[in-house]
Amino acid sequence: MNLWIGQKSLEDEQISLVFFFHSSVSHRFIAKPCALGLKVQANGPQKAQPNAILEKVFTAITKHPDEKRLEGLSKQLDWDVRSIQRWFRQRRNQEKPSTLTKFCESMWRFTFYLYIFTYGVRFLKKTPWLWNTRQCWNGYPYQPLMPDLHYYYIVELSFYWSLMFSQFIDIKRKDFGIMFTHHILAVTLLSFSYVTNLIRVGTLMLCLHDASDIVLEAAKMANYCKCQKLSDLLFVTFAIVFIVSRLGIYPLWILNTTLFELYEALGNFPALWVFNVLLVILQILNCFWSYLIIKVAYKAVSKGKAGKWNPLHVTKDDRSDIESSSDEEETVPRSKTLHSTVTTNGTSGANGTNGYLTGGTCSEEH
């Protein structure tokens, strides 16, 4: 038995590496040409000019320097404070992925979710436990592992392993913590249910969760292509599918059978409680994401900004908003000598523009 589990674990790792390789290949040879054909912008954020001192502060100390540190850097470099703020803003934006990169990532995930959801529906509609969840526990734990079921489960598990690997190689994003937690939970839940042969209910859970992810990735791609109306429509569809499936069907269908029907059929055993704890944690994450989705939708409706709002930054893609400024195009820093010259004309720094720049800068910005 231990040898069999070891062989299956090795197989899982091999398939996950194949997924990771396939995602890299599809980005370069499939998704990228499609993105360029749809005129998705290939250029990333404007890069900050090289500066060893500021780079050292950025990488080793802080990415968001306070006022005291800004003043110290201003004296050290003979730059005005506003230019240093601009440099840090550009340097933070520089680490964010380009629109082309995000489109390729969404296209790869959309392709996978569409394929695996279609496969899952075709497989599950032939199984008795789709129509009667009590069949998930009939004959447990001596339930045969059918080839189609094994393939479905291993492919899903390998996909989440590939997401785990790619998170450490890709650019670190705002939602790294919560998405890493989600991937850890998904891998743990799938691995535990696979080892304890709680696979039948696991297939129901996988198919249910994949449904909304398809629409989300499609909405992201529409947004990156600047098809705003299509993106808004897809996001509304995603919100409805997400909330209905994860706040309605999931607790009434999945949690009901694991918390009550499983206990009635087999009684109390340790794996039951571990499995249910993991499922409840997953539901907590579902509630958190649903709250964010509803919050964004409410703000959009209440402010009447349909067509101008971007809800995708608040769901699974809260990672790519670029910090902006009215003077972002200005890359050459003004020296403090210009600042001193302006202030001698009778306008003090404190009474100018928040003590940063005065005179000439104000006229340019206006």
Side-chain angles (χ1 to χ4, degrees), residues 165-178:
F165 294 145
S166 62
Q167 266 205 314
F168 294 99
I169 298 175
D170 292 341
I171 298 171
K172 190 172 181 180
R173 292 156 175 174
K174 289 181 181 180
D175 62 349
F176 177 86
I178 188 168

Side-chain angles (χ1 to χ4, degrees), residues 54 56-58 60-77 81 84 88:
L54 295 180
K56 185 176 181 180
V57 173
F58 183 88
I61 302 176
T62 179
K63 297 181 180 181
H64 298 270
D66 55 20
E67 185 176 350
K68 185 177 180 181
R69 191 176 298 279
L70 287 171
E71 291 177 356
L73 290 171
S74 176
K75 294 178 182 178
Q76 184 177 359
L77 295 173
V81 174
I84 296 176
F88 274 93

Side-chain angles (χ1 to χ4, degrees), residues 11-25:
E11 180 183 349
D12 297 350
E13 293 179 5
Q14 290 173 343
I15 296 178
S16 64
L17 291 176
V18 170
F19 262 98
F20 180 68
F21 173 75
H22 184 264
S23 65
S24 301
V25 172

Side-chain angles (χ1 to χ4, degrees), residues 87-226:
W87 188 95
F88 274 93
R89 182 171 56 251
Q90 290 177 346
R91 185 63 181 85
R92 289 193 296 269
N93 289 338
Q94 186 177 319
E95 292 196 339
K96 295 181 169 74
S98 66
T99 304
L100 178 63
T101 301
K102 291 182 288 184
F103 179 91
C104 292
E105 179 186 78
S106 291
M107 186 173 181
W108 152 243
R109 295 191 182 188
F110 170 80
T111 304
F112 172 79
Y113 286 130
L114 181 62
Y115 163 74
I116 202 64
F117 177 74
T118 304
Y119 179 89
V121 170
R122 292 183 61 186
F123 165 71
L124 286 171
K125 71 180 183 180
K126 298 180 291 185
T127 62
W129 60 85
L130 174 65
W131 315 105
N132 181 8
T133 53
R134 292 184 182 274
Q135 290 294 323
C136 291
W137 324 117
N138 187 25
Y140 182 85
Y142 305 105
Q143 296 172 340
L145 184 61
M146 297 177 291
D148 290 345
L149 191 153
H150 176 257
Y151 171 78
Y152 182 38
Y153 225 71
I154 292 302
V155 168
E156 288 272 20
L157 180 57
S158 301
F159 176 71
Y160 282 106
W161 271 115
S162 71
L163 293 182
M164 289 271 292
F165 294 145
S166 62
Q167 266 205 314
F168 294 99
I169 298 175
D170 292 341
I171 298 171
K172 190 172 181 180
R173 292 156 175 174
K174 289 181 181 180
D175 62 349
F176 177 86
I178 188 168
M179 290 309 298
F180 183 69
T181 303
H182 173 265
H183 297 333
I184 286 285
L185 178 62
V187 168
T188 303
L189 187 55
L190 290 172
S191 301
F192 181 80
S193 59
Y194 185 83
V195 171
T196 56
N197 207 24
L198 295 166
I199 299 180
R200 291 185 176 183
V201 72
T203 57
L204 301 178
M205 177 186 64
L206 288 170
C207 190
L208 184 65
H209 281 72
D210 288 338
S212 60
D213 291 331
I214 300 172
V215 190
L216 175 63
E217 298 304 332
K220 289 182 186 179
M221 289 191 294
N223 180 63
Y224 301 146
C225 294
K226 296 185 178 180

